[in-house]
PDB file of all heavy atoms in Angstrom:
ATOM      1  N   THR A  19      15.101  23.685   4.961  1.00  0.00           N
ATOM      2  CA  THR A  19      13.860  24.425   5.205  1.00  0.00           C
ATOM      3  C   THR A  19      12.876  24.229   4.060  1.00  0.00           C
ATOM      4  O   THR A  19      11.668  24.020   4.278  1.00  0.00           O
ATOM      5  CB  THR A  19      14.153  25.923   5.377  1.00  0.00           C
ATOM      6  OG1 THR A  19      15.046  26.098   6.477  1.00  0.00           O
ATOM      7  CG2 THR A  19      12.868  26.698   5.639  1.00  0.00           C
ATOM      8  N   LYS A  46       0.169   7.658  -1.792  1.00  0.00           N
ATOM      9  CA  LYS A  46       0.889   8.912  -2.038  1.00  0.00           C
ATOM     10  C   LYS A  46       1.539   9.406  -0.750  1.00  0.00           C
ATOM     11  O   LYS A  46       2.671   9.889  -0.752  1.00  0.00           O
ATOM     12  CB  LYS A  46      -0.074   9.965  -2.586  1.00  0.00           C
ATOM     13  CG  LYS A  46      -0.569   9.678  -3.986  1.00  0.00           C
ATOM     14  CD  LYS A  46      -1.569  10.731  -4.450  1.00  0.00           C
ATOM     15  CE  LYS A  46      -2.085  10.422  -5.851  1.00  0.00           C
ATOM     16  NZ  LYS A  46      -3.111  11.393  -6.288  1.00  0.00           N
ATOM     17  N   LYS A  71      20.043   5.063  -7.579  1.00  0.00           N
ATOM     18  CA  LYS A  71      19.194   3.927  -7.231  1.00  0.00           C
ATOM     19  C   LYS A  71      19.892   2.925  -6.318  1.00  0.00           C
ATOM     20  O   LYS A  71      19.242   2.111  -5.663  1.00  0.00           O
ATOM     21  CB  LYS A  71      18.717   3.218  -8.506  1.00  0.00           C
ATOM     22  CG  LYS A  71      19.810   2.531  -9.297  1.00  0.00           C
ATOM     23  CD  LYS A  71      19.248   1.883 -10.551  1.00  0.00           C
ATOM     24  CE  LYS A  71      20.316   1.168 -11.360  1.00  0.00           C
ATOM     25  NZ  LYS A  71      20.934   0.060 -10.632  1.00  0.00           N
ATOM     26  N   ASP A  72      21.241   2.978  -6.265  1.00  0.00           N
ATOM     27  CA  ASP A  72      21.999   2.041  -5.427  1.00  0.00           C
ATOM     28  C   ASP A  72      22.417   2.657  -4.097  1.00  0.00           C
ATOM     29  O   ASP A  72      23.318   2.137  -3.441  1.00  0.00           O
ATOM     30  CB  ASP A  72      23.253   1.577  -6.177  1.00  0.00           C
ATOM     31  CG  ASP A  72      22.919   0.789  -7.431  1.00  0.00           C
ATOM     32  OD1 ASP A  72      22.005  -0.063  -7.362  1.00  0.00           O
ATOM     33  OD2 ASP A  72      23.555   1.015  -8.471  1.00  0.00           O
ATOM     34  N   LYS A  87      41.969   1.629  -1.652  1.00  0.00           N
ATOM     35  CA  LYS A  87      42.924   2.700  -1.341  1.00  0.00           C
ATOM     36  C   LYS A  87      44.033   2.196  -0.416  1.00  0.00           C
ATOM     37  O   LYS A  87      45.203   2.501  -0.596  1.00  0.00           O
ATOM     38  CB  LYS A  87      42.190   3.872  -0.692  1.00  0.00           C
ATOM     39  CG  LYS A  87      41.324   4.665  -1.649  1.00  0.00           C
ATOM     40  CD  LYS A  87      40.639   5.816  -0.927  1.00  0.00           C
ATOM     41  CE  LYS A  87      39.749   6.606  -1.885  1.00  0.00           C
ATOM     42  NZ  LYS A  87      39.066   7.716  -1.157  1.00  0.00           N
ATOM     43  N   MET A 110      54.054 -17.121  -8.515  1.00  0.00           N
ATOM     44  CA  MET A 110      54.236 -18.020  -7.375  1.00  0.00           C
ATOM     45  C   MET A 110      53.167 -19.116  -7.327  1.00  0.00           C
ATOM     46  O   MET A 110      53.448 -20.265  -7.048  1.00  0.00           O
ATOM     47  CB  MET A 110      54.190 -17.219  -6.068  1.00  0.00           C
ATOM     48  CG  MET A 110      55.391 -16.292  -5.880  1.00  0.00           C
ATOM     49  SD  MET A 110      56.921 -17.201  -5.556  1.00  0.00           S
ATOM     50  CE  MET A 110      56.575 -17.848  -3.939  1.00  0.00           C
ATOM     51  N   ARG A 134      -4.016  -0.717  -9.625  1.00  0.00           N
ATOM     52  CA  ARG A 134      -5.295  -0.145  -9.204  1.00  0.00           C
ATOM     53  C   ARG A 134      -6.419  -1.074  -9.650  1.00  0.00           C
ATOM     54  O   ARG A 134      -6.516  -1.447 -10.828  1.00  0.00           O
ATOM     55  CB  ARG A 134      -5.484   1.250  -9.790  1.00  0.00           C
ATOM     56  CG  ARG A 134      -4.343   2.206  -9.469  1.00  0.00           C
ATOM     57  CD  ARG A 134      -4.590   3.567 -10.069  1.00  0.00           C
ATOM     58  NE  ARG A 134      -5.648   4.262  -9.363  1.00  0.00           N
ATOM     59  CZ  ARG A 134      -5.454   5.056  -8.317  1.00  0.00           C
ATOM     60  NH1 ARG A 134      -4.228   5.265  -7.860  1.00  0.00           N
ATOM     61  NH2 ARG A 134      -6.455   5.650  -7.727  1.00  0.00           N
ATOM     62  N   LYS A 145      -5.573 -13.246 -13.201  1.00  0.00           N
ATOM     63  CA  LYS A 145      -4.221 -13.019 -13.708  1.00  0.00           C
ATOM     64  C   LYS A 145      -4.123 -11.653 -14.362  1.00  0.00           C
ATOM     65  O   LYS A 145      -5.097 -11.150 -14.913  1.00  0.00           O
ATOM     66  CB  LYS A 145      -3.836 -14.114 -14.715  1.00  0.00           C
ATOM     67  CG  LYS A 145      -3.779 -15.507 -14.106  1.00  0.00           C
ATOM     68  CD  LYS A 145      -3.321 -16.532 -15.118  1.00  0.00           C
ATOM     69  CE  LYS A 145      -3.309 -17.935 -14.511  1.00  0.00           C
ATOM     70  NZ  LYS A 145      -2.370 -18.055 -13.384  1.00  0.00           N
ATOM     71  N   THR A 147      -0.986  -8.991 -16.413  1.00  0.00           N
ATOM     72  CA  THR A 147       0.368  -8.831 -16.925  1.00  0.00           C
ATOM     73  C   THR A 147       0.879  -7.429 -16.604  1.00  0.00           C
ATOM     74  O   THR A 147       0.212  -6.440 -16.899  1.00  0.00           O
ATOM     75  CB  THR A 147       0.426  -9.057 -18.448  1.00  0.00           C
ATOM     76  OG1 THR A 147      -0.036 -10.379 -18.737  1.00  0.00           O
ATOM     77  CG2 THR A 147       1.838  -8.899 -18.970  1.00  0.00           C
ATOM     78  N   ILE A 159      -3.225 -12.426  -9.025  1.00  0.00           N
ATOM     79  CA  ILE A 159      -3.603 -11.594  -7.894  1.00  0.00           C
ATOM     80  C   ILE A 159      -4.566 -12.393  -7.022  1.00  0.00           C
ATOM     81  O   ILE A 159      -5.642 -12.797  -7.480  1.00  0.00           O
ATOM     82  CB  ILE A 159      -4.263 -10.296  -8.369  1.00  0.00           C
ATOM     83  CG1 ILE A 159      -3.284  -9.508  -9.251  1.00  0.00           C
ATOM     84  CG2 ILE A 159      -4.714  -9.453  -7.182  1.00  0.00           C
ATOM     85  CD1 ILE A 159      -3.883  -8.289  -9.890  1.00  0.00           C
ATOM     86  N   ILE A 169       2.602  -6.848  -1.789  1.00  0.00           N
ATOM     87  CA  ILE A 169       3.077  -8.227  -1.857  1.00  0.00           C
ATOM     88  C   ILE A 169       4.433  -8.246  -2.567  1.00  0.00           C
ATOM     89  O   ILE A 169       4.736  -7.369  -3.383  1.00  0.00           O
ATOM     90  CB  ILE A 169       2.078  -9.153  -2.577  1.00  0.00           C
ATOM     91  CG1 ILE A 169       1.882  -8.720  -4.040  1.00  0.00           C
ATOM     92  CG2 ILE A 169       0.758  -9.191  -1.847  1.00  0.00           C
ATOM     93  CD1 ILE A 169       1.007  -9.661  -4.831  1.00  0.00           C
ATOM     94  N   ILE A 223     -37.957  -7.462   4.053  1.00  0.00           N
ATOM     95  CA  ILE A 223     -37.254  -6.572   3.140  1.00  0.00           C
ATOM     96  C   ILE A 223     -36.267  -7.386   2.310  1.00  0.00           C
ATOM     97  O   ILE A 223     -35.965  -8.537   2.644  1.00  0.00           O
ATOM     98  CB  ILE A 223     -36.485  -5.454   3.880  1.00  0.00           C
ATOM     99  CG1 ILE A 223     -35.407  -6.071   4.795  1.00  0.00           C
ATOM    100  CG2 ILE A 223     -37.422  -4.566   4.662  1.00  0.00           C
ATOM    101  CD1 ILE A 223     -34.462  -5.060   5.408  1.00  0.00           C
ATOM    102  N   THR A 235     -36.196 -10.911   7.420  1.00  0.00           N
ATOM    103  CA  THR A 235     -37.419 -10.713   8.191  1.00  0.00           C
ATOM    104  C   THR A 235     -37.174  -9.667   9.262  1.00  0.00           C
ATOM    105  O   THR A 235     -36.217  -9.768  10.038  1.00  0.00           O
ATOM    106  CB  THR A 235     -37.867 -12.031   8.844  1.00  0.00           C
ATOM    107  OG1 THR A 235     -38.137 -12.995   7.812  1.00  0.00           O
ATOM    108  CG2 THR A 235     -39.123 -11.820   9.680  1.00  0.00           C
ATOM    109  N   ALA A 244     -30.251  -1.445  15.340  1.00  0.00           N
ATOM    110  CA  ALA A 244     -30.195  -2.905  15.431  1.00  0.00           C
ATOM    111  C   ALA A 244     -29.379  -3.447  14.249  1.00  0.00           C
ATOM    112  O   ALA A 244     -29.407  -2.900  13.142  1.00  0.00           O
ATOM    113  CB  ALA A 244     -31.602  -3.497  15.413  1.00  0.00           C
ATOM    114  N   GLU A 261     -13.024 -19.282   2.218  1.00  0.00           N
ATOM    115  CA  GLU A 261     -13.481 -18.572   3.417  1.00  0.00           C
ATOM    116  C   GLU A 261     -13.881 -17.144   3.069  1.00  0.00           C
ATOM    117  O   GLU A 261     -13.204 -16.466   2.289  1.00  0.00           O
ATOM    118  CB  GLU A 261     -12.381 -18.546   4.485  1.00  0.00           C
ATOM    119  CG  GLU A 261     -12.067 -19.909   5.068  1.00  0.00           C
ATOM    120  CD  GLU A 261     -11.076 -19.820   6.224  1.00  0.00           C
ATOM    121  OE1 GLU A 261     -11.037 -18.761   6.884  1.00  0.00           O
ATOM    122  OE2 GLU A 261     -10.343 -20.791   6.451  1.00  0.00           O
ATOM    123  N   GLN A 281     -52.914  11.527   9.422  1.00  0.00           N
ATOM    124  CA  GLN A 281     -51.902  10.624   9.975  1.00  0.00           C
ATOM    125  C   GLN A 281     -51.398  11.131  11.328  1.00  0.00           C
ATOM    126  O   GLN A 281     -51.204  10.349  12.270  1.00  0.00           O
ATOM    127  CB  GLN A 281     -50.733  10.488   8.996  1.00  0.00           C
ATOM    128  CG  GLN A 281     -51.063   9.677   7.754  1.00  0.00           C
ATOM    129  CD  GLN A 281     -49.961   9.697   6.742  1.00  0.00           C
ATOM    130  OE1 GLN A 281     -49.362  10.752   6.509  1.00  0.00           O
ATOM    131  NE2 GLN A 281     -49.680   8.542   6.128  1.00  0.00           N
TER     132      GLN A 281
END
Side-chain angles (χ1 to χ4, degrees):
T19 301
K46 291 178 181 177
K71 67 181 181 63
D72 296 317
K87 288 180 181 179
M110 291 290 291
R134 305 180 72 90
K145 297 183 182 298
T147 301
I159 300 174
I169 63 175
I223 62 171
T235 299
E261 292 186 27
Q281 288 173 318

